[in-house]
């Protein structure tokens, strides 16, 4: 009989095909991953992976084992979640929230589909701000939030939206006349900062401390809300990388939005507290994913 950690290690390595990334996901050492896989291969009596100094590939036996185990693990997880949900006394109420007007239409579609599938569950919809989005998840005020990735310390659902990045600059700034800019220009201008309580990984992603070449990025003043941050841009206190939907939902005569040509896209989707993974939460995440297909 296989132990749960052995199955989890095997399936994660089968997905990642990289010992380092597998160890990082499972929060153990690469030595521990290697030990578990070798033990499992001895139990099976055949190699499950082929390793070289450059790559890891899964064998035919390993692939078949992964295909057989995956649905079994999913069924076990579903059964456990049903038990946890029953133990917590689910009231038939789900509280969902959005951060930013641009994700509201996506949330609306998800709520509509979820409600059609589960009419016995009452869905409350709220809006949160930068300063209270994380706290609302932690204190249980909301169950699921549609927001930007990454959101460290939280479970993240599938990507529902992607958008290119723009740089918000004062309308009278010379950058406003450019067709596009590089991330390197961040080293030449103060960058408006997000509130202190915002997710650290999110801030690193949106307002990095260094450019791709390693140049330090000067910090501008922080804002409490997104509108306040844009006002700081308009007043010439700094620039701010934003998503392209900002141009549509926050058009301002005193701000210009310039495409950043070498920046990766912004990704948005559902976020929730790992310890609050109820059956309702997972069903809503599934509905959200289905609603954008």
């Amino acid at each position: 009989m296989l132990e749960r950690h052995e199955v989890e290690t095997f399936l994660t390595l089968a997905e990642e095909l990289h010992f380092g990334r597998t160890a990082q996901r499972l929060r153990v050492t690469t030595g521990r991953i290697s030990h578990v896989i070798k033990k499992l291969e001895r139990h099976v009596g055949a190699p499950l992976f082929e390793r070289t100094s450059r790559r890891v590939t899964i064998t035919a036996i390993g692939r078949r084992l992964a295909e057989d185990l995956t649905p079994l693990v999913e069924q076990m997880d579903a059964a456990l979640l049903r038990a946890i949900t029953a133990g917590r006394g689910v009231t038939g109420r789900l509280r969902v929230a959005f951060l930013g007007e641009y994700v509201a239409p996506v949330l609306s579609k998800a709520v509509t589909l979820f409600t059609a599938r589960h009419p016995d569950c009452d869905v409350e919809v709220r809006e949160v701000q930068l300063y209270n989005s994380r706290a609302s998840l932690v204190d249980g005020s909301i169950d699921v939030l549609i927001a930007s990735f990454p959101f460290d310390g939280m479970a993240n659902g599938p990507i529902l939206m992607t958008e290119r990045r723009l740089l918000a600059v004062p309308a009278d700034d010379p950058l406003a006349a450019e067709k596009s800019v590089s991330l390197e220009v961040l080293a030449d201008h103060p960058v408006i900062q997000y509130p202190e309580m915002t997710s650290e990984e999110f801030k690193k992603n949106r307002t990095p401390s260094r450019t791709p070449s390693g140049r330090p990025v000067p910090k501008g003043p922080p804002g409490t809300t997104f509108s306040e941050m844009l006002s700081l841009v308009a007043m010439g206190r700094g620039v701010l990388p934003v998503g392209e939907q900002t141009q549509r939902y926050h058009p301002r005569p005193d701000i210009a939005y310039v495409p950043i040509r070498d920046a990766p896209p912004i990704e948005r989707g559902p976020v929730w507290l790992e310890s609050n993974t109820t059956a309702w939460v997972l069903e809503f995440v599934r509905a959200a994913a289905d609603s954008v297909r």
Side-chain angles (χ1 to χ4, degrees):
M1 180 68 69
L2 297 179
E3 296 183 13
R4 177 58 188 259
H5 78 276
E6 293 175 329
V7 175
E8 184 178 24
T9 299
F10 167 69
L11 290 179
T12 304
L13 183 58
E15 179 182 343
E16 293 288 351
L17 294 178
H18 190 282
F19 279 79
R21 289 195 297 268
T22 299
Q24 186 175 22
R25 277 181 57 178
L26 299 181
R27 298 182 180 179
V28 297
T29 65
T30 54
R32 176 61 176 168
I33 300 298
S34 180
H35 173 76
V36 171
I37 295 301
K38 287 179 180 178
K39 178 181 176 183
L40 186 55
E41 288 178 327
R42 288 196 299 269
H43 186 70
V44 172
L48 300 174
F49 298 93
E50 294 179 352
R51 303 94 151 158
T52 68
S53 59
R54 294 179 176 273
R55 58 185 300 191
V56 176
T57 57
I58 191 168
T59 65
I61 294 175
R63 186 177 299 107
R64 177 60 186 272
L65 181 60
E67 292 171 352
D68 289 343
L69 286 176
T70 298
L72 298 177
V73 171
E74 291 175 350
Q75 291 174 21
M76 289 174 60
D77 289 341
L80 181 59
L81 282 172
R82 286 192 294 269
I84 293 174
T85 300
R88 290 176 178 170
V90 173
T91 61
R93 176 178 298 174
L94 187 70
R95 296 155 300 181
V96 299
F98 63 95
L99 178 58
E101 299 95 326
Y102 18 86
V103 300
V106 174
L107 179 65
S108 178
K109 290 181 181 179
V111 170
T112 299
L113 181 56
F114 176 84
T115 301
R117 291 176 175 177
H118 306 284
D120 54 333
C121 183
D122 181 32
V123 180
E124 295 181 4
V125 178
R126 305 177 185 179
E127 181 182 12
V128 295
Q129 300 297 330
L130 290 169
Y131 65 86
N132 70 345
S133 57
R134 184 179 188 83
S136 296
L137 287 166
V138 173
D139 68 17
S141 300
I142 59 174
D143 298 305
V144 185
L145 170 66
I146 305 297
S148 294
F149 299 154
F151 213 107
D152 56 306
M154 298 287 172
N156 293 334
I159 298 170
L160 305 181
M161 298 175 60
T162 60
E163 54 183 310
R164 63 175 179 166
R165 302 191 195 214
L166 311 177
L167 187 65
V169 303
D172 57 357
D173 190 285
L175 288 177
E178 298 291 333
K179 291 184 178 180
S180 68
V181 296
S182 166
L183 284 170
E184 291 298 324
V185 302
L186 297 182
D188 304 320
H189 304 269
V191 174
I192 304 301
Q193 299 296 301
Y194 282 85
E196 183 179 353
M197 66 286 296
T198 308
S199 164
E200 287 300 322
E201 290 302 316
F202 173 82
K203 286 188 285 190
K204 290 178 183 178
N205 180 274
R206 299 294 283 273
T207 54
S209 60
R210 292 187 176 275
T211 67
S213 69
R215 299 166 66 200
V217 175
K219 289 185 177 182
T224 303
T225 67
F226 189 66
S227 293
E228 186 176 304
M229 295 172 72
L230 289 178
S231 293
L232 289 170
V233 172
M235 290 185 289
R237 304 290 296 278
V239 299
L240 178 66
V242 298
E244 64 181 326
Q245 291 295 334
T246 304
Q247 189 172 23
R248 175 183 176 187
Y249 285 90
H250 295 274
R252 295 181 52 152
D254 50 1
I255 290 180
Y257 296 101
V258 185
I260 306 176
R261 57 179 174 268
D262 54 354
I266 289 175
E267 300 173 338
R268 307 182 194 272
V271 177
W272 67 97
L273 196 63
E274 189 79 49
S275 60
N276 189 35
T277 307
T278 64
W280 285 137
V281 168
L282 292 183
E283 280 300 300
F284 182 81
V285 171
R286 185 168 71 91
D290 292 344
S291 69
V292 298
R293 287 177 180 171

